[in-house]
Amino acid sequence: MIWLLLLHISAVLCWCGSLLYLPALIAGTVSKQADMEREHQQALMFVVYRLFSTPAALLAVASGTALFMTGGITAHWLILKLSLVSVLVMCHALTGWIMLLTQTMPGKIIKLSCVLLRIGLAILISAIVWLVLSKPVWELTL
């Protein structure tokens, strides 16, 4: 069971770290730079999303599901955590959509979207971490 918890924590760290890094990469692709640099940065952006972030997200969700299924966790905080994680999954999909829009939308709109996405992700990830770390207090009071 401890190996499953370690797998879940490491997958979540990789997923959240890449989600926080991707908006900066996306914003960098629309900045004024040489075509060669822009192509290299776009390729890096898609590699991080497809080969790192998405597999980490799938592994985090699968290992998290296995954790509460094998551990028999049915606490109230879990429903709130799963709701926040579903919003995080939507942010993951939104990141991919913004990546696709870099070819058609103006740079200022993309940069603003990236800033708002990054702020939202930071708040969301902080809320999930707070909820997980404060769960013993919730279990005692409910």
Side-chain angles (χ1 to χ4, degrees), residues 112-133:
L112 178 63
S113 300
C114 289
V115 167
L116 294 175
L117 179 62
R118 201 159 187 193
I119 291 169
L121 283 168
I123 293 170
L124 184 60
I125 291 169
S126 299
I128 292 171
V129 169
W130 175 83
L131 182 65
V132 169
L133 293 178

Side-chain angles (χ1 to χ4, degrees), residues 21-136:
Y21 178 59
L22 276 167
L25 261 178
I26 295 168
T29 60
V30 296
S31 64
K32 297 177 184 173
Q33 51 184 289
D35 287 337
M36 195 70 148
E37 287 180 36
R38 183 176 294 128
E39 288 175 12
H40 176 69
Q41 198 157 6
Q42 281 182 336
L44 178 64
M45 176 180 67
F46 283 106
V47 164
V48 169
Y49 187 78
R50 288 182 186 148
L51 298 179
F52 189 75
S53 185
T54 301
L58 294 173
L59 191 58
V61 170
S63 61
T65 303
L67 265 174
F68 80 80
M69 296 280 282
T70 59
I73 304 169
T74 57
H76 297 303
W77 64 270
L78 184 63
I79 295 169
L80 183 56
K81 180 192 174 213
L82 292 176
S83 300
L84 292 175
V85 169
S86 65
V87 175
L88 192 63
V89 169
M90 286 187 256
C91 287
H92 182 91
L94 180 64
T95 303
W97 185 58
I98 292 173
M99 286 171 48
L100 294 175
L101 289 178
T102 57
Q103 282 88 25
T104 58
M105 296 294 285
K108 288 185 178 185
I109 293 174
I110 297 294
K111 285 183 181 182
L112 178 63
S113 300
C114 289
V115 167
L116 294 175
L117 179 62
R118 201 159 187 193
I119 291 169
L121 283 168
I123 293 170
L124 184 60
I125 291 169
S126 299
I128 292 171
V129 169
W130 175 83
L131 182 65
V132 169
L133 293 178
S134 67
K135 72 181 174 191

